[in-house]
Amino acid sequence: MSPRGVTTPDVRERLFAAAERVLERDGPGALTSRAIAAEAGCAKGLLHAHFRGLDEFVAELVLDRFGRVARHADELRGRAGQGTVAENLLGIALALLSSAGPTVAGLALARPVASAHIREALVGGAPGFDTVQDAITDYLDAERRGGRIAERADTAAAALALVGTVHHLLMTGTHDRQRERAGQLVVLLDDALRHGPGGIAG
């Protein structure tokens, strides 16, 4: 957050949601401070009143969406024994896919200053993919203790496979194709976790 002022959650989300709509509708090339303000229906200088510029804004958008999915993943820890393992894994996979769409993630990668800001924040403890991976591992460990997956299931490897694959899907392909691939992955992981040894459960 910029030292220029205190950004309230409502202002942040209003600007973030507006930026996502601009990106989805018009693509990265159309993302400017002016376009975001127009989409949000606010004064042109609002973004610069709270962020040091578009790079910081983009970085904070990505970090905010990472934080949102990390909170979702933290809730997963309490779902052991509820629903099915496959349903719970698919839920977190889809949350990851929606946390920062491929256009947003790609935009951050294409802006070195924004990417550096994100890396610095992650090193400093901001929630990211590692946070989500740890939460999934904890959840699967609880399911293993409850007997719903194989005793020898490699929960850490399963969590890594899920997060790593979803990260790849996030950067490639269309939204519908991403969801389809995520569903296929969850089916494979669920089978391996329940019926090891071999594969991930072994």
Side-chain angles (χ1 to χ4, degrees):
M1 184 187 303
S2 169
R4 292 169 180 261
V6 176
T7 311
T8 67
D10 287 347
V11 169
R12 283 171 62 91
E13 183 54 35
R14 183 178 177 183
L15 292 171
F16 289 162
E20 288 176 321
R21 292 194 298 271
V22 171
L23 285 167
E24 183 176 355
R25 184 182 63 239
D26 303 322
L31 191 71
T32 64
S33 301
R34 183 183 297 271
I36 294 167
E39 183 68 28
C42 62
K44 297 176 183 178
L46 184 62
L47 186 149
H48 290 282
H50 296 288
F51 300 92
R52 283 189 290 260
L54 193 57
D55 282 314
E56 182 181 78
F57 174 82
V58 169
E60 289 293 326
L61 167 59
V62 173
L63 290 168
D64 181 86
R65 287 350 189 196
F66 280 168
R68 176 184 292 181
V69 77
R71 290 189 293 273
H72 187 98
D74 193 58
E75 294 172 357
L76 183 65
R77 291 183 167 99
R79 290 197 55 78
Q82 302 177 33
T84 69
V85 174
E87 289 170 348
N88 292 332
L89 291 179
L90 182 59
I92 193 62
L94 296 181
L96 275 166
L97 285 174
S98 65
S99 63
T103 304
V104 175
L107 176 67
L109 289 176
R111 302 181 72 98
V113 175
S115 295
H117 184 105
I118 293 169
R119 287 194 299 272
E120 181 180 348
L122 293 175
V123 170
F129 284 112
D130 287 347
T131 308
V132 176
Q133 184 177 323
D134 289 343
I136 295 172
T137 301
D138 290 347
Y139 160 72
L140 291 174
D141 286 343
E143 294 286 20
R144 182 172 56 189
R145 290 192 296 271
R148 296 216 299 173
I149 63 177
E151 185 176 349
R152 296 176 59 204
D154 189 338
T155 56
L160 174 61
L162 181 64
V163 173
T165 302
V166 170
H167 181 264
H168 171 73
L169 292 174
L170 187 63
M171 304 304 299
T172 61
T174 63
H175 182 66
D176 289 342
R177 189 60 170 165
Q178 290 169 346
R179 294 175 66 90
E180 178 185 354
R181 289 295 192 187
Q184 292 169 344
L185 171 66
V186 166
V187 169
L188 291 174
L189 288 177
D190 182 56
D191 184 68
L193 287 165
R194 290 187 297 112
H195 299 114
I200 291 175

